[in-house]
Amino acid sequence: MSKIFPVDAAVAASALINESKYFELYQASLDNNDAFWAEQGMRIDWIKPYSQIQDVSYAKSDLHIRWYHDGTLNVCANCVDRHLPEKASQTAIIWEGDNPENSKHITYQTLFDEVCRMANVLKSLNVSKGDRVTLYMPMIPEAVYAMLACARIGAIHSVVFGGFSADALAGRIIDCQSKLVITADFSHRGGKSIPLKKNVDDAAKIAGVSDYLESVLVVKNSEVAVDWNDSLDHWYHQKAEQVPAECPVEEMSAEDPLFILYTSGSTGKPKGVLHTSGGYLVYASLTHQYVFDYHPDDIYWCTADVGWITGHSYIVYGPLANGATTLMFEGVPNYPDSSRFWQICDKHQVNICYTAPTAIRALMREGNSYVESTSRLSLKLLGSVGEPINPEAWQWYYDVVGEAKCPIVDTWWQTETGGILISPLPGATPLKPGSATRPFFGIEPALVDGEGKELSGEAEGNLIMKRSWPGQMRTVYGDHQRFIETYFSTFEGAYFTGDGAKRDKDNYYWITGRVDDVLNISGHRMGTAEVESALVAHPKVAEAAVVGYPHEIKGQGIYTFVTLNAGLEGNEALRDELVKWVRKEIGPIATPDIIQFAPGLPKTRSGKIMRRILRKIAEDEFANLGDISTLAEPAVVEDLIANRQNKK
Ligand code: 6R9
C-alpha cells in the first residue's frame, strides 16, 4: 500500500479544478469530445475561426491527424501581440544568468520589440514561410526571441540541444535541410564556457551541410573572440541595427508546421517529431493553465532547457500563450553551490517550480542544509517530469523543498505528445508518490498486453492512447511511413507510447519505463542503437551492444559491451578514447558510464544479440539470466560475468 496525500482543502478551494469538477469535466470531455475541444480551441486567437474540430484516422492505411484545420492563426501573435493591450509592462520573461549577479526582466512590450527585430533579421537572411531554421543556443532570451520570430514569419524551427556535438548537429541540419543556423559564440553553464559557434563551424564543414546551409546568425554572449567566416557568418547585433522595427505576422493554417524536434527512438537515427500550429498551442496553453493551476501574477519556473520538448511547451509556448511570467535559467542546479535552485526561488519569488527527478536526486544527495538555508516561502506548487520519480525522491521534494505545503504534479508525457497527458491536478487529485495519477481532459489511456488485447481494472501492460488530442505530433519530418510504423503498427488503431505502465485499484497510472530500446539518462532520451552505431564507427571496434542499468542519480546509466577487432586488447587508454569518441559523435549526454571489453556477445543462432541477458548482467542479476540454451556460444556469458565492470 502506498501512501496517499489528500488534496489540501485550502488548495482545492482556490484551485481552478477541484475533484468533483475534474470527474465531471473529464467524463464530458470524452462523451462530447468535439464539443469539449471546440470550446477549448477558443482560448487562443484565430485570424479565421475554425469550423472543423478534428479529422483523425489511426488506421494504418489512411493515417492522418488534423485539428481545427480550416482555421488560421499566428502562434507568435498569440504569445506576444495579444497581451500588449493589457500586459505591455508586465514581465513576460525573467532571465537568470549562470552567474548569480546577472538577471533581467523582459516585459511583453520588450518581448514584442525583440521578436519583431529578430523576425526581420531572419527575413533579411532570406528566410520565409515554410523554411527550416536550426537553433543551437544557450539558455538566453534570444533563444526565445528566435523561436517566436520563426513562428511570426511562418518558418519552422528545429532546436538542437547545446549538449549535442557538431556531428549530431550536422545530421539534424541535413535531415530538415536548414538554410539558417542561429547560435551564440559561447554558452555559460556552471562557470564554464561551451564553444557553441566552434561546434557550428565544425558542423558546417561536414559533408552535405553546405548543400543547404546559407548563413549562420551569431548572438554575442561573451567577450572572447571566435573564428569568423565572412561568407557564412553574421553577428546578430549588427544585423539587428539594419532592419525595421515592425514586422507583420504571417497568417498560418492551423496545420502548418510550427517546429521539428529530434528525439531518439529504438532505431539508430533520431526522428524529426513534427508539431503544427493551432492544436499544439491550444493543448500547451490549456495544460499549462490547469496542471500548474496558473493564476495571473504567479511566477512560474520550468528548469528545462529549450532544447527539449519541456522547454518548448512549458517555458515558451504554454506560459506565453497564457500571458504568464516565465523564468528562464541559464545555469545548472549546483553552481555556485547546491542551493542555487532555492536561491532563485527566493530571489524571484517563484510560485511554481517544475523540474526533473535527476536534479531532485542530485540535490537530495547534497543534504538538506542547502535547501534549509533558503526560505522558499513563495512556493505553492512543485512539478516533476522526464522519468519516473522514485518515492524517496518524491518524499524529499515534498517534505524538504515544499515543507509539506506544496502539492507535487508528476507529469507524464513525451516529445510526441506535445503536452502533458497524465498528471495530478493540484486541487483535484490525491497524490501517491511515484504515480502520475490520472489522465488529463480528453485523454483516453489504456493498457494492452503483448497481443494488443486491452486489459481492464488493475493491470500492467503497454501504455496506449485510444484517441487523439490537439497537441499530438503529426508526422516524422520527411518520413511519414516511419511515423506510422513506430506509433500505430504495434497496436492496431491506437497510439503506442513505447512506455509500460500499471493501473491500480483507484485507476491511477504508474509509469514503469520504456518497453523499447530507448534509455532515459537523466530524463534525456537516448537510443541504444544510436550509441552502438557511434561505437562501431570507431576503427578499433568490431561490435558493440548498449544497455541501461539503474543509476542512483541519472535514473539509468549507459553500460556498453564492446568487442574489439581481432588482435586488439582493451585497456584504460582505449576506454578513454572510446568515451571521447562517443562524446564527439553524439555529445556529452551520451557519455558511456561503463565500457566492458567483451571477446564475444551473447547471440542467438540466427545472430541476434540477446540484450535481455546483457541487461541482467548490467543489473548484477547473474542468477536470473533466464533461458540461455538458445545461445550460439553459451560460454561467452561466463566471460561477461567474470569481467563485469564496477559501476560508477
Ligand atoms: C516530456 C519528456 C519521454 C519519455 C516517456 C517516459 C519518460 C517522461 C515521465 C516519464 C515516468 C513521468 N517520462 N515523464 N516517465 N513519469 N512523469 O520527458 O519527453 O524527452 O520525449 O521523454 O520520458 O518514458 O516515454 P521525452
Side-chain angles (χ1 to χ4, degrees):
M1 269 289 283
S2 59
K3 263 198 195 157
I4 298 190
F5 294 74
V7 179
D8 183 88
V11 173
S14 70
L16 297 166
I17 307 283
N18 62 24
E19 192 161 25
S20 60
K21 187 134 183 237
Y22 166 78
F23 283 121
E24 190 189 313
L25 249 178
Y26 179 70
Q27 199 54 48
S29 74
L30 295 192
D31 293 346
N32 294 303
N33 197 238
D34 272 5
F36 176 79
W37 289 118
E39 191 186 330
Q40 297 309 324
M42 292 188 295
R43 61 185 293 114
I44 62 169
D45 284 353
W46 297 83
I47 298 172
K48 176 175 164 283
Y50 50 86
S51 69
Q52 303 297 308
I53 309 305
Q54 59 183 304
D55 172 18
V56 175
S57 161
Y58 277 179
K60 273 177 78 173
S61 55
D62 177 33
L63 195 117
H64 63 267
I65 300 164
R66 283 197 282 269
W67 285 86
Y68 311 114
H69 58 272
D70 62 347
T72 66
L73 78 163
N74 183 278
V75 167
C76 176
N78 270 286
C79 292
V80 186
D81 308 37
R82 78 159 166 159
H83 305 311
L84 292 181
E86 305 213 321
K87 296 186 174 174
S89 57
Q90 186 203 296
T91 301
I93 300 172
I94 300 173
W95 177 77
E96 169 78 13
D98 185 50
N99 177 340
E101 279 163 27
N102 298 340
S103 62
K104 56 185 167 190
H105 286 63
I106 296 149
T107 63
Y108 272 97
Q109 181 65 52
T110 305
L111 180 62
F112 173 79
D113 296 342
E114 296 280 1
V115 169
C116 289
R117 185 75 71 182
M118 176 77 82
N120 282 328
V121 170
L122 301 191
K123 282 186 182 171
S124 78
L125 292 171
N126 193 28
V127 175
S128 55
K129 181 172 175 174
D131 286 342
R132 276 79 59 210
V133 175
T134 297
L135 273 60
Y136 186 65
M137 295 284 279
M139 283 288 286
I140 55 176
E142 286 80 359
V144 181
Y145 305 158
M147 291 165 77
L148 292 170
C150 287
R152 193 168 192 85
I153 64 170
I156 305 167
H157 60 71
S158 160
V159 185
V160 176
F161 176 59
F164 281 113
S165 67
D167 290 55
L169 174 63
R172 286 155 172 81
I173 294 171
I174 293 170
D175 187 80
C176 69
Q177 311 175 332
S178 287
K179 58 161 67 160
L180 173 69
V181 171
I182 310 179
T183 190
D185 44 7
F186 291 90
S187 96
H188 309 291
R189 281 165 62 82
K192 296 192 198 97
S193 290
I194 298 130
L196 292 183
K197 166 73 166 60
K198 162 89 173 54
N199 289 351
V200 175
D201 293 347
D202 292 346
K205 289 180 204 132
I206 290 170
V209 172
S210 66
D211 293 353
Y212 310 108
L213 188 65
E214 292 171 11
S215 351
V216 175
L217 184 61
V218 189
V219 174
K220 193 161 166 46
N221 192 36
S222 143
E223 296 308 317
V224 179
V226 287
D227 287 349
W228 206 253
N229 174 351
D230 283 327
S231 60
L232 203 59
D233 301 338
H234 305 267
W235 281 113
Y236 177 67
H237 59 275
Q238 289 175 356
K239 297 294 286 183
E241 281 171 11
Q242 300 158 7
V243 296
E246 268 149 52
C247 175
V249 303
E250 191 75 36
E251 180 171 353
M252 305 296 286
S253 149
E255 285 300 338
D256 279 336
L258 178 64
F259 64 85
I260 299 164
L261 189 55
Y262 287 89
T263 194
S264 299
S266 46
T267 56
K269 200 173 144 220
K271 295 185 284 268
V273 168
L274 184 92
H275 283 287
T276 57
S277 302
Y280 170 79
L281 194 66
V282 168
Y283 198 74
S285 119
L286 180 71
T287 47
H288 172 261
Q289 184 180 3
Y290 286 110
V291 174
F292 300 107
D293 199 46
Y294 190 84
H295 286 73
D297 301 328
D298 280 347
I299 307 289
Y300 162 87
W301 178 24
C302 165
T303 72
D305 190 286
V306 292
W308 309 113
I309 190 67
T310 307
H312 282 60
S313 300
Y314 299 114
I315 293 177
V316 183
Y317 290 112
L320 294 178
N322 291 340
T325 299
T326 179
L327 193 152
M328 176 179 198
F329 175 40
E330 186 183 31
V332 295
N334 58 358
Y335 176 82
D337 67 43
S338 294
S339 67
R340 186 69 192 277
F341 268 16
W342 325 120
Q343 279 172 5
I344 292 174
C345 289
D346 284 355
K347 176 174 173 186
H348 298 295
Q349 292 295 293
V350 170
N351 305 115
I352 302 163
C353 174
Y354 186 32
T355 191
T358 185
I360 298 166
R361 286 192 298 265
L363 295 175
M364 180 168 108
R365 189 169 72 165
E366 300 301 321
N368 297 359
S369 62
Y370 287 109
V371 190
E372 287 160 356
S373 65
T374 63
S375 101
R376 287 156 287 106
L377 275 175
S378 55
L379 285 176
K380 293 195 301 195
L381 178 67
L382 301 172
S384 172
V385 60
E387 54 176 313
I389 179 164
N390 47 310
E392 193 196 1
W394 192 101
Q395 195 72 51
W396 183 83
Y397 197 27
Y398 186 80
D399 289 337
V400 181
V401 176
E403 297 183 8
K405 285 181 296 210
C406 304
I408 296 179
V409 290
D410 174 1
T411 65
W412 176 86
W413 59 297
Q414 311 177 293
T415 305
E416 294 87 337
T417 70
I420 295 162
L421 297 196
I422 303 181
S423 170
L425 302 184
T429 319
L431 305 172
K432 299 187 192 182
S435 172
T437 78
R438 295 170 178 149
F440 191 72
F441 306 125
I443 301 302
E444 193 181 6
L447 299 177
V448 293
D449 67 14
E451 272 76 57
K453 193 166 89 42
E454 187 169 342
L455 307 167
S456 59
E458 266 183 81
E460 177 165 359
N462 299 305
L463 181 65
I464 61 163
M465 297 295 150
K466 290 170 81 169
R467 60 172 99 200
S468 182
W469 62 98
Q472 184 169 26
M473 76 182 280
R474 301 300 196 256
T475 192
V476 171
Y477 187 79
D479 197 348
H480 196 59
Q481 201 50 40
R482 188 165 175 206
F483 178 57
I484 299 171
E485 274 156 25
T486 310
Y487 304 104
F488 300 95
S489 301
T490 321
F491 304 101
E492 200 62 50
Y495 167 75
F496 176 45
T497 64
D499 278 344
K502 283 190 243 188
R503 189 174 44 222
D504 71 14
K505 61 174 180 17
D506 299 321
N507 276 321
Y508 274 38
Y509 285 88
W510 300 73
I511 309 298
T512 52
R514 303 289 305 191
V515 295
D516 53 15
D517 288 323
V518 174
L519 305 178
N520 191 327
I521 314 296
S522 299
H524 300 149
R525 275 166 70 166
M526 184 55 51
T528 52
E530 265 168 85
V531 185
E532 285 164 8
S533 49
L535 281 166
V536 295
H538 188 281
K540 292 180 184 158
V541 175
E543 199 165 40
V546 172
V547 295
Y549 72 94
H551 187 288
E552 208 183 318
I553 303 293
K554 303 190 206 180
Q556 268 187 314
I558 301 181
Y559 197 120
T560 65
F561 296 88
V562 173
T563 306
L564 297 172
N565 287 331
L568 294 178
E569 279 284 326
N571 54 32
E572 275 317 303
L574 185 51
R575 268 203 189 95
D576 289 347
E577 190 178 320
L578 293 177
V579 166
K580 282 205 192 87
W581 176 268
V582 175
R583 289 170 65 98
K584 180 189 143 308
E585 292 276 307
I586 306 175
I589 62 165
T591 307
D593 293 282
I594 301 174
I595 294 183
Q596 174 169 353
F597 294 110
L601 295 173
K603 290 186 189 166
T604 61
R605 283 181 198 125
S606 64
K608 263 190 128 185
I609 295 176
M610 294 190 73
R611 291 164 182 290
R612 172 175 63 78
I613 293 175
L614 294 176
R615 247 180 251 129
K616 293 278 185 216
I617 293 172
E619 287 165 10
D620 279 332
E621 295 206 21
F622 308 135
N624 209 351
L625 292 181
D627 182 10
I628 58 170
S629 63
T630 54
L631 285 181
E633 287 177 82
V636 301
V637 174
E638 276 154 43
D639 176 87
L640 291 176
I641 294 175
N643 292 300
R644 170 82 178 64
Q645 293 297 300
N646 283 333
K647 289 180 191 167
K648 288 184 192 160

